[in-house]
Amino acid sequence: MELHDENTFKIRSYQSALNSLERGDADIMELSEDELSKVPGVGKSILEAIKSLKESESFPQLDQLLEKTPQGILEILQIKGLGPKKVKTLWEELGITSTHELMEACQSGKVAKIKGFGEKTQDTIIQNLEFKASNAGKWLYADIEEVLENLTEKLENELKESKVTLVGEYARKMEIISQAEWLIGAGNISSIKKKFEDLEDFEMDASQSGPFSIRGKVQAVDLKFTIHLCSLNDFPVKQYALCASPLHLQSKISENLSIGDALRANGFKNDSEFFSQHKLQYIPVEMREGYGEVQLALEEKLPDLLEEKDLKGILHNHSTYSDGKHSLRQMAEYCKELGYEYLGISDHSRTASYAGGLEIEKVQKQQEEIDQLNKELAPFKIFKGIESDILGDGSLDYPDEVLGSFDFIVSSIHSILNMDIKRATSRLLAAIENPYTTILGHPTGRLLLRREGYPIDHKTIIDACAKHQVAIEINANPWRLDLDWRWVRYAMDQGVMLSINPDAHEMDGYGDMKYGVLVGRKGGLTKEMTLNALSLDEIEHYFSKRKKELTQK
Ligand SMILES: [Zn+2]
Ligand SMILES: [Zn+2]
């Protein structure tokens, strides 16, 4: 509507209806007409639109607007930093209707010359276009998980005599999946290949396929696939080789022998047999990355990895006090219901006004409510926390007496993300040195496939956390998974604890803990080094000891 100069009053009425529908809990497709009409902002025309959406997945006004809008414009709208107003200007002034044309116009400097754009905006558009192109066809693990598991089940049902398993990035639990890979072991390979011609889910590309491989695209989603075919005899060796990363396969187990060589040397029935043949400690599949795990296995120093059931509480969560969807009580009761011993609530601090950050009076009000709820829900406990914005100069967001009222503080950067490595690192260092910081939140601010994080000097940051006994979070939101798993072992080696934090903005957000555990395990994370694997007694002691040390300083 903004693109097509619709009445601003009408636009605002859609926005306000959308806002209040999103704030509610219910699936709008499930609500009755009566229930819908009670939602603030939902008037007659919105009601009609929802009714039509239920019946035909569209509605006339939307169809008319889409008809007038080139497909490429919709794609351009997806690019970060380009709102409808700017897109409209590009369309009108330069006739740009595709990402390709936009890139050309940027590269020839035309975009910078438009009023309101400038060199900086043009550079950002180029960067974002490049980022988008390099990520086409890639998926977050969490977003593609169900598709791949369902397809595997279908394959197993279709190919009953064969062995079917997912291999590749997915089997290693990579945070980003760029290709789906299966290994199929069968007595008769050519009959399997024939069968694939009829499987609708797999769009075969004959020119890319070979005698032992089938390649193409998964029909339902934009994702490439490879099916590897082998005899039943070769299955265990092939499975190992296809699950591991190339770096892992190159890792040496003796002066003249790599894992890859060893795989080719003699057969084995399963992975465990392979490891015992070579006197290696068992390396879990997700760790087979070539990040030093083979050396650790040789020295029998591989750790016992963290499991989801080891987690005893959930830190870093939001409620309706700031930008969360569920109330403090709902968040607490659901956490308790899931069997956890404690919840850390850490709403946004006051500078984060876009996210409903808490003014000091609201902090007090929340802490009183927490005291009440703790009486009611005992022995379950809610810890009083805050996600304090790290301000431009690295300081935290409240005066010391307010900071001192919290049990724990997650310090995170949310603004002025455009920084060089020096500025970003020193800003984080200041926050880590602040005695009130308990946990460093999402250290790089990255959003996988959407936005690169600001660059930081990981070693310097982790060393400082070790010195000041600040834990680092592994933000378990599938978009973030930040701290990156590649730095987990270094952090543990320096004595820094990691905290698996879902950053939940609604009750269902707790489910993301799973993805934090997956990447933590990739990095070799143990229960002992996980902050929220501490029991209630232990973490209570941990928080209060830290606080006592502060007040003595
Ligand atoms: Zn945050
Ligand atoms: Zn948060």
Side-chain angles (χ1 to χ4, degrees):
M1 290 170 85
E2 283 178 305
L3 274 178
H4 296 284
D5 285 327
E6 294 277 330
N7 179 312
T8 44
F9 179 74
K10 250 166 95 185
I11 295 175
R12 238 177 279 143
S13 84
Y14 271 96
Q15 277 170 337
S16 81
L18 179 68
N19 282 342
S20 55
L21 285 167
E22 279 186 333
R23 230 176 288 130
D25 249 343
D27 179 352
I28 64 167
M29 292 303 175
E30 311 271 297
L31 292 178
S32 71
E33 205 168 311
D34 201 39
E35 288 167 313
L36 278 169
S37 61
K38 286 188 189 123
V39 177
V42 175
K44 221 179 115 200
S45 60
I46 306 270
L47 210 59
E48 285 301 317
I50 296 174
K51 240 166 86 184
S52 166
L53 274 169
K54 281 190 196 178
E55 284 156 15
S56 62
E57 295 189 4
S58 191
F59 59 103
Q61 292 93 321
L62 176 63
D63 292 338
Q64 280 158 21
L65 290 168
L66 284 173
E67 209 163 291
K68 290 193 277 184
T69 317
Q71 181 61 33
I73 290 285
L74 298 176
E75 244 175 82
I76 294 174
L77 276 171
Q78 306 278 319
I79 295 164
K80 267 201 95 64
L82 282 180
K85 253 204 200 113
K86 281 215 158 76
V87 175
K88 186 169 165 356
T89 310
L90 289 167
W91 185 9
E92 280 173 358
E93 298 209 2
L94 299 177
I96 290 169
T97 56
S98 71
T99 50
H100 179 73
E101 288 164 359
L102 177 58
M103 187 56 134
E104 273 182 4
C106 284
Q107 280 166 341
S108 64
K110 283 186 200 149
V111 172
K113 290 193 190 108
I114 305 175
K115 199 169 161 249
F117 280 72
E119 292 283 340
K120 208 170 166 199
T121 308
Q122 181 173 277
D123 287 347
T124 313
I125 296 174
I126 293 177
Q127 265 174 30
N128 290 342
L129 280 168
E130 281 171 348
F131 191 67
K132 188 170 184 279
S134 71
N135 288 321
K138 293 184 186 172
W139 289 84
L140 295 183
Y141 180 95
D143 285 347
I144 205 72
E145 187 179 18
E146 207 185 322
V147 173
L148 297 188
E149 295 293 345
N150 287 343
L151 284 174
T152 307
E153 218 182 291
K154 275 195 189 171
L155 284 175
E156 282 167 346
N157 287 334
E158 287 287 337
L159 313 168
K160 284 232 160 61
E161 314 279 280
S162 320
K163 273 174 109 169
V164 176
T165 188
L166 274 157
V167 293
E169 295 163 337
Y170 184 79
R172 284 205 312 284
K173 313 274 200 289
M174 285 293 276
E175 62 273 42
I176 290 170
I177 306 296
S178 61
Q179 185 189 185
E181 290 183 76
W182 285 271
L183 173 65
I184 298 177
N188 183 343
I189 288 174
S190 54
S191 78
I192 301 274
K193 289 194 79 168
K194 241 195 150 65
K195 209 142 194 186
F196 264 89
E197 289 165 15
D198 307 327
L199 291 181
E200 275 180 5
D201 296 304
F202 298 88
E203 202 178 298
M204 270 177 73
D205 179 348
S207 71
Q208 296 287 318
S209 306
F212 296 99
S213 64
I214 305 168
R215 289 194 174 81
K217 234 174 183 185
V218 177
Q219 182 65 254
V221 290
D222 181 19
L223 179 68
K224 284 190 288 186
F225 76 81
T226 300
I227 308 271
H228 306 270
L229 301 160
C230 71
S231 69
L232 287 164
N233 246 347
D234 289 345
F235 193 85
V237 175
K238 285 271 179 221
Q239 184 180 12
Y240 191 115
L242 289 167
C243 284
S245 81
L247 269 182
H248 175 85
L249 295 174
Q250 288 159 23
S251 304
K252 297 271 185 214
I253 50 179
S254 66
E255 212 182 314
N256 301 313
L257 196 70
S258 68
I259 292 269
D261 300 331
L263 284 176
R264 283 187 289 272
N266 32 1
F268 48 87
K269 285 198 294 293
N270 53 46
D271 287 2
S272 306
E273 194 179 305
F274 171 75
F275 287 113
S276 63
Q277 275 171 6
H278 295 280
K279 301 198 170 48
L280 280 166
Q281 207 183 346
Y282 183 87
I283 304 174
V285 179
E286 58 266 52
M287 283 188 88
R288 297 178 196 167
E289 287 286 354
Y291 273 75
E293 71 280 359
V294 175
Q295 190 55 35
L296 288 175
L298 280 168
E299 297 165 12
E300 292 215 24
K301 282 185 185 158
L302 274 181
D304 277 335
L305 298 183
L306 175 77
E307 291 178 45
E308 219 181 325
K309 66 171 170 47
D310 296 328
L311 301 177
K312 295 292 186 289
I314 317 183
L315 304 168
H316 191 170
N317 302 285
H318 299 263
S319 73
T320 44
Y321 273 90
S322 66
D323 59 348
K325 193 167 165 185
H326 291 124
S327 69
L328 179 57
R329 173 183 286 276
Q330 286 173 310
M331 294 299 283
E333 284 177 344
Y334 189 52
C335 180
K336 186 180 175 188
E337 198 182 307
L338 291 174
Y340 292 100
E341 297 173 11
Y342 54 89
L343 172 72
I345 210 78
S346 53
D347 274 304
H348 287 287
S349 63
R350 60 181 177 179
T351 295
S353 52
Y354 58 91
L358 270 53
E359 294 298 338
I360 293 173
E361 307 80 69
K362 243 178 143 185
V363 169
Q364 286 161 345
K365 194 171 157 244
Q366 186 181 56
Q367 296 190 347
E368 281 161 25
E369 193 185 340
I370 290 176
D371 287 335
Q372 277 303 319
L373 281 168
N374 277 342
K375 276 183 208 150
E376 197 184 311
L377 299 174
F380 181 85
K381 181 164 179 175
I382 307 168
F383 287 104
K384 299 167 185 166
I386 196 83
E387 181 175 17
S388 172
D389 263 34
I390 298 174
L391 305 181
D393 63 356
S395 58
L396 299 187
D397 206 3
Y398 296 105
D400 281 1
E401 62 270 24
V402 178
L403 293 175
S405 72
F406 297 108
D407 296 314
F408 73 104
I409 292 179
V410 181
S411 300
S412 318
I413 291 182
H414 293 116
S415 59
I416 330 174
L417 302 177
N418 206 346
M419 298 180 281
D420 61 19
I421 187 165
K422 227 175 122 192
R423 167 107 203 265
T425 304
S426 68
R427 197 168 160 198
L428 287 178
L429 282 180
I432 293 162
E433 285 159 15
N434 189 310
Y436 290 103
T437 295
T438 326
I439 301 174
L440 180 64
H442 44 73
T444 74
R446 75 180 183 185
L447 293 177
L448 294 167
L449 303 179
R450 279 201 288 201
R451 167 178 96 201
E452 234 159 325
Y454 39 81
I456 63 169
D457 180 343
H458 277 89
K459 271 201 172 136
T460 305
I461 295 298
I462 292 169
D463 291 348
C465 286
K467 185 172 165 206
H468 298 278
Q469 284 303 298
V470 168
I472 301 179
E473 88 171 357
I474 295 179
N475 191 299
N477 183 315
W479 287 104
R480 293 192 181 271
L481 302 175
D482 180 18
L483 182 71
D484 190 286
W485 59 265
R486 293 159 187 85
W487 286 99
V488 167
R489 189 174 310 130
Y490 181 77
M492 291 200 306
D493 286 348
Q494 311 315 307
V496 174
M497 290 193 91
L498 286 306
S499 187
I500 306 275
N501 295 347
D503 201 351
H505 284 69
E506 56 186 304
M507 294 181 330
D508 279 348
Y510 296 154
D512 285 348
M513 300 272 275
K514 167 184 166 187
Y515 303 107
V517 173
L518 289 185
V519 292
R521 288 172 59 92
K522 279 188 78 59
L525 182 59
T526 62
K527 179 181 162 187
E528 289 69 32
M529 291 306 284
T530 304
L531 184 64
N532 57 321
L534 295 178
S535 69
L536 174 58
D537 284 349
E538 288 165 337
I539 203 156
E540 218 165 10
H541 181 74
Y542 178 97
F543 286 153
S544 70
K545 185 167 157 256
R546 254 195 125 261
K547 267 187 89 167
K548 223 175 268 157
E549 285 167 1
L550 296 179
T551 44
Q552 277 165 3
K553 268 179 197 164

Short mmCIF file of all heavy atoms in Angstrom, two decimals, residues 473-497:
data_model
loop_
_atom_site.label_atom_id
_atom_site.label_comp_id
_atom_site.label_asym_id
_atom_site.label_seq_id
_atom_site.Cartn_x
_atom_site.Cartn_y
_atom_site.Cartn_z
N GLU A 473 27.38 -15.89 26.59
CA GLU A 473 26.22 -16.68 26.19
C GLU A 473 26.44 -17.31 24.83
O GLU A 473 27.16 -16.80 23.99
CB GLU A 473 24.93 -15.82 26.19
CG GLU A 473 24.61 -15.10 24.92
CD GLU A 473 23.20 -14.44 24.93
OE1 GLU A 473 22.43 -14.59 25.91
OE2 GLU A 473 22.89 -13.76 23.95
N ILE A 474 25.84 -18.50 24.67
CA ILE A 474 25.61 -19.02 23.33
C ILE A 474 24.15 -18.73 23.10
O ILE A 474 23.28 -19.41 23.63
CB ILE A 474 25.90 -20.52 23.22
CG1 ILE A 474 27.38 -20.79 23.48
CG2 ILE A 474 25.49 -21.03 21.84
CD1 ILE A 474 27.76 -22.26 23.43
N ASN A 475 23.87 -17.64 22.39
CA ASN A 475 22.48 -17.28 22.15
C ASN A 475 21.89 -18.35 21.25
O ASN A 475 22.36 -18.60 20.15
CB ASN A 475 22.42 -15.90 21.49
CG ASN A 475 21.01 -15.36 21.46
OD1 ASN A 475 20.13 -15.95 20.84
ND2 ASN A 475 20.79 -14.23 22.11
N ALA A 476 20.85 -19.04 21.76
CA ALA A 476 20.37 -20.26 21.11
C ALA A 476 19.33 -20.00 20.04
O ALA A 476 18.86 -20.93 19.39
CB ALA A 476 19.79 -21.21 22.17
N ASN A 477 18.97 -18.73 19.84
CA ASN A 477 18.07 -18.41 18.75
C ASN A 477 18.73 -18.85 17.44
O ASN A 477 19.87 -18.47 17.18
CB ASN A 477 17.82 -16.90 18.75
CG ASN A 477 16.83 -16.48 17.69
OD1 ASN A 477 16.91 -16.93 16.55
ND2 ASN A 477 15.89 -15.65 18.06
N PRO A 478 18.03 -19.67 16.62
CA PRO A 478 18.66 -20.21 15.41
C PRO A 478 19.23 -19.15 14.46
O PRO A 478 20.11 -19.44 13.66
CB PRO A 478 17.54 -20.99 14.72
CG PRO A 478 16.56 -21.30 15.80
CD PRO A 478 16.65 -20.18 16.79
N TRP A 479 18.73 -17.92 14.55
CA TRP A 479 19.29 -16.85 13.73
C TRP A 479 20.62 -16.39 14.26
O TRP A 479 21.41 -15.78 13.55
CB TRP A 479 18.35 -15.63 13.73
CG TRP A 479 17.11 -15.82 12.94
CD1 TRP A 479 15.86 -16.06 13.44
CD2 TRP A 479 16.98 -15.81 11.52
NE1 TRP A 479 14.97 -16.18 12.42
CE2 TRP A 479 15.62 -16.02 11.22
CE3 TRP A 479 17.89 -15.62 10.46
CZ2 TRP A 479 15.13 -16.07 9.91
CZ3 TRP A 479 17.41 -15.66 9.17
CH2 TRP A 479 16.04 -15.88 8.90
N ARG A 480 20.88 -16.59 15.54
CA ARG A 480 22.08 -16.02 16.15
C ARG A 480 23.18 -17.07 16.36
O ARG A 480 24.23 -17.00 15.78
CB ARG A 480 21.72 -15.36 17.49
CG ARG A 480 20.83 -14.13 17.34
CD ARG A 480 20.78 -13.38 18.66
NE ARG A 480 19.94 -12.20 18.66
CZ ARG A 480 20.35 -10.99 18.33
NH1 ARG A 480 21.59 -10.79 17.97
NH2 ARG A 480 19.51 -9.95 18.38
N LEU A 481 22.94 -18.04 17.24
CA LEU A 481 23.95 -19.04 17.59
C LEU A 481 25.31 -18.37 17.78
O LEU A 481 26.31 -18.73 17.16
CB LEU A 481 23.97 -20.16 16.55
CG LEU A 481 22.61 -20.85 16.40
CD1 LEU A 481 22.62 -21.88 15.28
CD2 LEU A 481 22.16 -21.50 17.72
N ASP A 482 25.30 -17.39 18.66
CA ASP A 482 26.39 -16.45 18.85
C ASP A 482 26.62 -16.38 20.35
O ASP A 482 25.70 -16.02 21.08
CB ASP A 482 25.90 -15.10 18.28
CG ASP A 482 26.89 -13.96 18.36
OD1 ASP A 482 28.07 -14.23 18.55
OD2 ASP A 482 26.44 -12.80 18.21
N LEU A 483 27.72 -16.80 20.88
CA LEU A 483 29.07 -17.07 20.44
C LEU A 483 29.09 -18.22 19.42
O LEU A 483 28.47 -19.24 19.62
CB LEU A 483 29.94 -17.43 21.68
CG LEU A 483 31.41 -17.71 21.42
CD1 LEU A 483 32.14 -16.44 21.08
CD2 LEU A 483 32.07 -18.33 22.64
N ASP A 484 29.87 -18.05 18.38
CA ASP A 484 30.04 -19.09 17.38
C ASP A 484 30.71 -20.31 18.02
O ASP A 484 31.61 -20.16 18.83
CB ASP A 484 30.93 -18.53 16.26
CG ASP A 484 30.97 -19.44 15.06
OD1 ASP A 484 31.64 -20.50 15.13
OD2 ASP A 484 30.34 -19.11 14.05
N TRP A 485 30.24 -21.50 17.62
CA TRP A 485 30.78 -22.73 18.24
C TRP A 485 32.28 -22.89 18.03
O TRP A 485 32.95 -23.58 18.80
CB TRP A 485 30.03 -23.96 17.73
CG TRP A 485 30.08 -24.20 16.24
CD1 TRP A 485 29.15 -23.80 15.33
CD2 TRP A 485 31.09 -24.89 15.50
NE1 TRP A 485 29.53 -24.19 14.06
CE2 TRP A 485 30.72 -24.87 14.14
CE3 TRP A 485 32.29 -25.53 15.85
CZ2 TRP A 485 31.48 -25.45 13.12
CZ3 TRP A 485 33.06 -26.11 14.84
CH2 TRP A 485 32.65 -26.07 13.50
N ARG A 486 32.83 -22.25 17.00
CA ARG A 486 34.27 -22.41 16.72
C ARG A 486 35.14 -21.80 17.83
O ARG A 486 36.33 -22.05 17.89
CB ARG A 486 34.61 -21.79 15.37
CG ARG A 486 33.97 -22.57 14.20
CD ARG A 486 33.85 -21.72 12.94
NE ARG A 486 33.09 -22.39 11.89
CZ ARG A 486 31.76 -22.37 11.78
NH1 ARG A 486 31.03 -21.73 12.68
NH2 ARG A 486 31.14 -23.00 10.80
N TRP A 487 34.52 -20.99 18.70
CA TRP A 487 35.28 -20.37 19.79
C TRP A 487 34.99 -20.98 21.16
O TRP A 487 35.54 -20.56 22.17
CB TRP A 487 34.98 -18.86 19.83
CG TRP A 487 35.65 -18.17 18.70
CD1 TRP A 487 35.10 -17.80 17.51
CD2 TRP A 487 37.04 -17.82 18.62
NE1 TRP A 487 36.04 -17.24 16.69
CE2 TRP A 487 37.24 -17.23 17.35
CE3 TRP A 487 38.13 -17.95 19.49
CZ2 TRP A 487 38.50 -16.77 16.94
CZ3 TRP A 487 39.36 -17.48 19.08
CH2 TRP A 487 39.54 -16.90 17.81
N VAL A 488 34.14 -22.00 21.18
CA VAL A 488 33.73 -22.56 22.48
C VAL A 488 34.92 -23.21 23.20
O VAL A 488 35.12 -22.99 24.39
CB VAL A 488 32.58 -23.57 22.29
CG1 VAL A 488 32.37 -24.40 23.55
CG2 VAL A 488 31.29 -22.83 21.93
N ARG A 489 35.72 -23.99 22.47
CA ARG A 489 36.81 -24.67 23.17
C ARG A 489 37.83 -23.68 23.71
O ARG A 489 38.32 -23.82 24.83
CB ARG A 489 37.50 -25.71 22.28
CG ARG A 489 38.46 -26.54 23.14
CD ARG A 489 39.12 -27.70 22.43
NE ARG A 489 38.17 -28.52 21.73
CZ ARG A 489 38.32 -28.88 20.44
NH1 ARG A 489 39.37 -28.50 19.77
NH2 ARG A 489 37.42 -29.64 19.87
N TYR A 490 38.13 -22.67 22.92
CA TYR A 490 39.08 -21.66 23.41
C TYR A 490 38.55 -21.02 24.70
O TYR A 490 39.28 -20.86 25.67
CB TYR A 490 39.34 -20.59 22.33
CG TYR A 490 40.33 -19.54 22.79
CD1 TYR A 490 41.70 -19.81 22.81
CD2 TYR A 490 39.90 -18.30 23.27
CE1 TYR A 490 42.61 -18.88 23.26
CE2 TYR A 490 40.81 -17.35 23.72
CZ TYR A 490 42.17 -17.65 23.72
OH TYR A 490 43.07 -16.73 24.18
N ALA A 491 37.26 -20.70 24.70
CA ALA A 491 36.68 -20.09 25.90
C ALA A 491 36.79 -21.04 27.10
O ALA A 491 37.22 -20.63 28.18
CB ALA A 491 35.22 -19.72 25.63
N MET A 492 36.45 -22.30 26.90
CA MET A 492 36.51 -23.25 28.02
C MET A 492 37.95 -23.40 28.52
O MET A 492 38.19 -23.46 29.72
CB MET A 492 35.98 -24.62 27.58
CG MET A 492 34.48 -24.65 27.32
SD MET A 492 33.83 -26.34 27.36
CE MET A 492 34.86 -27.16 26.20
N ASP A 493 38.89 -23.43 27.57
CA ASP A 493 40.30 -23.58 27.96
C ASP A 493 40.78 -22.40 28.82
O ASP A 493 41.67 -22.56 29.64
CB ASP A 493 41.19 -23.71 26.72
CG ASP A 493 41.05 -25.08 26.06
OD1 ASP A 493 40.44 -25.97 26.70
OD2 ASP A 493 41.52 -25.25 24.92
N GLN A 494 40.17 -21.23 28.61
CA GLN A 494 40.57 -20.06 29.43
C GLN A 494 39.78 -20.02 30.74
O GLN A 494 39.92 -19.10 31.52
CB GLN A 494 40.32 -18.74 28.69
CG GLN A 494 40.85 -18.67 27.27
CD GLN A 494 42.25 -19.22 27.13
OE1 GLN A 494 43.15 -18.81 27.86
NE2 GLN A 494 42.44 -20.17 26.22
N GLY A 495 38.89 -20.99 30.93
CA GLY A 495 38.11 -21.02 32.17
C GLY A 495 36.85 -20.17 32.11
O GLY A 495 36.27 -19.82 33.14
N VAL A 496 36.40 -19.82 30.90
CA VAL A 496 35.18 -19.01 30.76
C VAL A 496 33.97 -19.94 30.65
O VAL A 496 33.97 -20.87 29.86
CB VAL A 496 35.25 -18.12 29.50
CG1 VAL A 496 33.93 -17.40 29.27
CG2 VAL A 496 36.39 -17.13 29.61
N MET A 497 32.95 -19.67 31.47
CA MET A 497 31.75 -20.48 31.39
C MET A 497 30.85 -19.98 30.25
O MET A 497 30.81 -18.78 29.96
CB MET A 497 30.98 -20.44 32.71
CG MET A 497 31.70 -21.17 33.81
SD MET A 497 30.63 -21.45 35.24
CE MET A 497 29.92 -23.04 34.86
#
